[in-house]
Amino acid sequence: MTNTKSSKHDSEILSRSKCPVAIYIVATPIGNLSDISLRALEVLKNVDIIACEDTRVTEKLLSRYEISKKMICYNDFSTKNNRQGIFKLLDQGKSVALVSDAGTPLISDPGYKLIKEAHENNYKIVSIPGASSVVTALTLSGLQTNRFLFEGFLPPKKESRKNALKEIKDINATLI
């Protein structure tokens, strides 16, 4: 159930100014749509285009906050041509938000190649922090939090997975 009063209040807080030309890496909620920052909402409302992993998932978030924005798909299957298309938008003076389905883009999510090439081509990049599955898992674990290693997804094949685990087995830290 949507709290209309809260939605209207949140909308009134957001500025109405266009975002400067840049790629905005915007963290999105992990499950609960209310876990988004006001700054993230402001950016999503004020960029020209949103590059998202799955437009259907992002549409749910945008609808919840009454944001109507052009979306393009950017995911694991995106090509160099897709990245060049985003750079062309920047060259045309457009601002682009990069979002994943949940959490912070690039953290076990699409976006690394885009941001790497953006750096190589001197495009402005702005990170809008927020939810991260890595930190959420760590804080809920009850394990040591002052030193940890995010290893990400292990390889799917048995032998490769065993080798990856051998490489990290002696690390004296919480392993994620």
Side-chain angles (χ1 to χ4, degrees), residues 6-16 38 42 45:
S6 176
S7 292
K8 284 184 181 177
H9 178 69
D10 290 345
S11 297
E12 291 167 6
I13 292 172
L14 304 178
S15 86
R16 300 190 193 291
L38 289 175
E42 181 178 357
K45 185 174 183 176

Side-chain angles (χ1 to χ4, degrees), residues 102-138:
T104 303
L106 280 76
I107 308 299
S108 288
D109 270 333
Y112 165 73
K113 290 177 185 174
L114 175 66
I115 299 306
K116 181 179 186 294
E117 287 183 33
H119 275 289
E120 291 168 355
N121 291 287
N122 297 313
Y123 287 103
K124 183 177 180 181
I125 302 161
V126 179
S127 183
I128 310 300
S132 168
S133 59
V134 175
V135 174
T136 301
L138 179 64

Side-chain angles (χ1 to χ4, degrees), residues 35-66:
D35 289 340
I36 190 162
S37 73
L38 289 175
R39 184 173 176 219
L41 289 172
E42 181 178 357
V43 168
L44 292 175
K45 185 174 183 176
N46 293 304
V47 293
D48 296 302
I49 295 168
I50 299 173
C52 47
E53 196 171 355
D54 184 332
T55 57
R56 297 166 299 185
V57 173
T58 303
E59 181 59 37
K60 290 175 188 173
L61 174 66
L62 297 180
S63 292
R64 163 68 170 82
Y65 291 98
E66 300 173 358

